[in-house]
Amino acid sequence: MYWHTFHTTDDAAQALARAVAAELSKRLETQERVTVAMPGGRSPVAFFEALSCETLDWSRVTVTLVDDRLVDESHEDSNAGLVRRHLLQNQAAAAAFWPLVTEPSNPKADIARLDKELPEIDLVVFGMGEDGHAGSLFPDAPETDEGLAENNPHAAIIVTPPNAPHQRITLTLARLLTAEKLYLAIQGRAKAKIVQASGWALTGRWPISYFVQQAKAPLEVYWAP
Ligand SMILES: O=C1O[C@H](COP(=O)(O)O)[C@@H](O)[C@H](O)[C@H]1O
């Protein structure tokens, strides 16, 4: 795990945007297309807006999500809606978008589609909740053990968090760890403590610990107090 500390959340967002843009550009030198999975929630807005202004060949980039809620894209809690409003604009308007949820009332159809067609993911940018949830792998959701199983053959699962709004679709740990590089964007001391403690304990109590403790892909943490 590589820890990058910034004075403000805006500094962290700008630096993360530059790092992700540089990594996308580097990969586009040797790959025809690059796919990046993005976080949702409330905090990625500044990062998305900064990244959308970076100059690179966005027409060869596919953007997808780490997780989304089973709501229409027009709903304020839709992660796809957030990406469309704040990332797929400016230079990044040329990127292709691969939503996880296309039929909120029929998530099984989306799971089948994702299993069959989701492109290989090169980079992942995560956020994390104050309970240590990563994507929508929540510590208290009944499906989380399945989502964290190393040998889970599915790209994504349906999750029903008992203490957070909306049923969700989230990519599985197994699928996320096929990426070659992981970035984690977090703010505040409470989240920093969980990530640091995750270095000592691999536990379903903090699903993020499965990403902190793996050795497949470097995890770059971007943090501001
Ligand atoms: O529910 C979710 O929460 C996490 C954390 O969101 P944040 O606004 O506290 O950073 C997010 O990473 C995830 O994608 C989202 O669906």
Side-chain angles (χ1 to χ4, degrees):
M1 172 165 70
Y2 303 93
W3 193 279
H4 309 267
T5 297
F6 300 87
H7 288 298
T8 67
T9 52
D10 199 53
D11 290 345
Q14 303 287 334
L16 179 59
R18 286 194 298 274
V20 171
E23 191 64 34
L24 290 171
S25 297
K26 190 174 102 190
R27 281 163 194 274
L28 287 170
E29 287 170 12
T30 54
Q31 293 174 220
E32 190 44 43
R33 296 198 63 84
V34 179
T35 298
V36 55
M38 292 295 186
R42 304 253 171 239
S43 50
V45 171
F47 159 62
F48 284 170
E49 291 186 346
L51 183 59
S52 77
C53 296
E54 291 284 339
T55 302
L56 56 103
D57 187 356
W58 283 102
S59 68
R60 293 195 285 134
V61 174
T62 300
V63 174
T64 188
L65 284 158
V66 174
D67 68 313
D68 207 347
R69 296 88 186 266
L70 298 186
V71 294
D72 285 328
E73 284 193 11
S74 57
H75 192 290
E76 61 171 354
D77 291 342
S78 164
N79 289 343
L82 187 87
V83 162
R84 287 198 196 274
R85 286 193 303 281
H86 298 285
L87 176 58
L88 302 178
Q89 57 171 342
N90 304 320
Q91 304 287 324
F97 182 51
W98 232 90
L100 302 187
V101 175
T102 62
E103 288 184 72
S105 58
N106 186 8
K108 285 190 179 158
D110 273 324
I111 297 292
R113 176 183 59 89
L114 292 164
D115 275 345
K116 233 162 98 192
E117 295 168 19
L118 184 71
E120 235 172 75
I121 295 171
D122 299 286
L123 310 179
V124 175
V125 184
F126 290 103
M128 187 193 82
E130 290 200 351
D131 57 357
H133 79 261
S136 281
L137 295 165
F138 284 82
D140 51 358
E143 305 88 351
T144 291
D145 284 351
E146 182 198 343
L148 291 173
E150 255 177 57
N151 55 357
N152 188 319
H154 295 288
I157 58 167
I158 301 164
V159 176
T160 314
N163 294 304
H166 311 297
Q167 222 182 10
R168 289 123 184 271
I169 284 181
T170 188
L171 300 187
T172 57
L173 174 80
R175 187 54 185 254
L176 288 163
L177 291 186
T178 60
E180 288 179 5
K181 199 144 189 182
L182 310 175
Y183 299 86
L184 175 63
I186 50 167
Q187 303 82 34
R189 296 189 194 285
K191 289 187 180 182
K193 270 192 186 165
I194 291 179
V195 175
Q196 281 157 359
S198 287
W200 299 101
L202 181 67
T203 165
R205 189 176 148 210
W206 299 320
I208 193 65
S209 63
Y210 283 74
F211 298 95
V212 170
Q213 297 225 358
Q214 53 77 37
K216 287 185 175 166
L219 177 67
E220 307 266 351
V221 182
Y222 282 67
W223 177 77

